[in-house]
Amino acid sequence: MGDDILSYNGGVALAMKGKECVAIACDKRYGVQNRTIATNFTKIFQYSDHCFVAFCGLATDVQTVSERLKFRTNLYELREQRKLKPVVLYNMLTNLLYERRFGPYFVFALVVGLDPKTGETYVYDSDNIGAVSDNVNLATVGTASEYIFGLGELFFKPNMNSDELFEATSQALLNGVDRDSASGWGAVVYVIEKDKVTVRELKGRQD
Amino acid sequence: MSERYGFSLTTFSPSGKLVQIEYALNAVNAGSPAVGIKASNGVVLATEKKSKSLLHDDRTIHKVESVCKNMGLVYSGMGPDYRLLVQKARKLAQEYMLVYEENVPPTQLVKRIADVMQEYTQSGGVRPFGVSLLICGYDYDEDRPFLYQCDPSGSYFPWKATAIGRNFVNGKTFLEKRYSDQLALEDAVHTAILTLKESFEGQMTEDNIEIGICDKEGFRRLTPAEVKDYLAQIG
């Protein structure tokens, strides 16, 4: 699997908070070490009207964990007859990851959400064994996470509206992935507001 | 130690009944009365707690028990079976909290408890529980109180108001007349005490009844002093 399992497939994701809106973005590269195999591998998954999760790391685990989480959230919605809240989704995910504490999945996760009634925003991140974080303004995961963190901190302002948030998120992601050979080949940005979710595809440097 | 039976002891009669469950319900109906009333802003649970002897020092044994912050239980039937169910219910509530970081909604806990009770009607070598439970809780998502009854068979019923145990038929008739949707928690406590009084032999004091209330703040058992106040108001 190469020296570093978490950079075998590459990929990156970023989440940022605004005023009553959150954004989550990821690149689209699917590679095997230095070979790019596909440019349509998005790492963001939707679990409820206003709840999204991004997984970065080993591609097989990105797929498996996202699907196994979907299994659990589907049953939750059927049993409880209600939609998931971001905090609950986050805790279900970290619980799932910790179940494999001594033979873990190789994915780091970002959970974002919005309460459509109050406008309260949620951005959390998790390592691959389910360490919880606080509700933060900015979070990144993946092979280019450090680069994007730096840019994200630069572009972030508190209480941005959805357009400013989109710009800040997109610029941080696009410019960050240019420094990383294992990420890039386009991006997808979700901006989640109280009444709608907007998805935009970005074309950056195709290398 | 002892080997488990592979087969269930609760088996069908020719008429399609599970006789063990019928007998369990008989045990429930012979137990001391318990009442539950759902008000507009909360739920009250009340039960008779008569000591068999004057020598009993009953202040530390409780019938009305809390399960988690927002839910409580009371029963009619066999005390030891109830104790086990309280322990299981508490564990189930914490397991939920561990996974979801959220207080268990009453409907969900009731389902889980009822599943446990059903298990004992279909597992090898065990008998059904000899209790019916009255479960009250506050659902923070829907912002309203709930009252459920759980039977030895594993069936559960949502109620506005109900009585179980001895003289439950009279209790329910009394409640049917007295119940209204506009009832507030304070009035519900009075009504619960009056319902218990219908089947009570002797003088009702703060030591021979137990009351628990559940509202938005959570579930709590009333202190004997508080019960005494309510009894004084009824006169």
Side-chain angles (χ1 to χ4, degrees), chain B residues 34-49:
Chain B
V35 168
I37 302 179
K38 187 176 70 169
S40 55
N41 55 338
V43 194
V44 61
L45 298 177
T47 184
E48 202 183 275
K49 198 181 85 169

Side-chain angles (χ1 to χ4, degrees), chain B residues 29-60:
Chain B
N29 293 334
S32 38
V35 168
I37 302 179
K38 187 176 70 169
S40 55
N41 55 338
V43 194
V44 61
L45 298 177
T47 184
E48 202 183 275
K49 198 181 85 169
K50 283 225 186 106
S51 309
K52 295 264 167 60
S53 147
L54 284 166
L55 295 172
H56 270 172
D57 184 9
D58 247 356
R59 293 234 172 178
T60 50

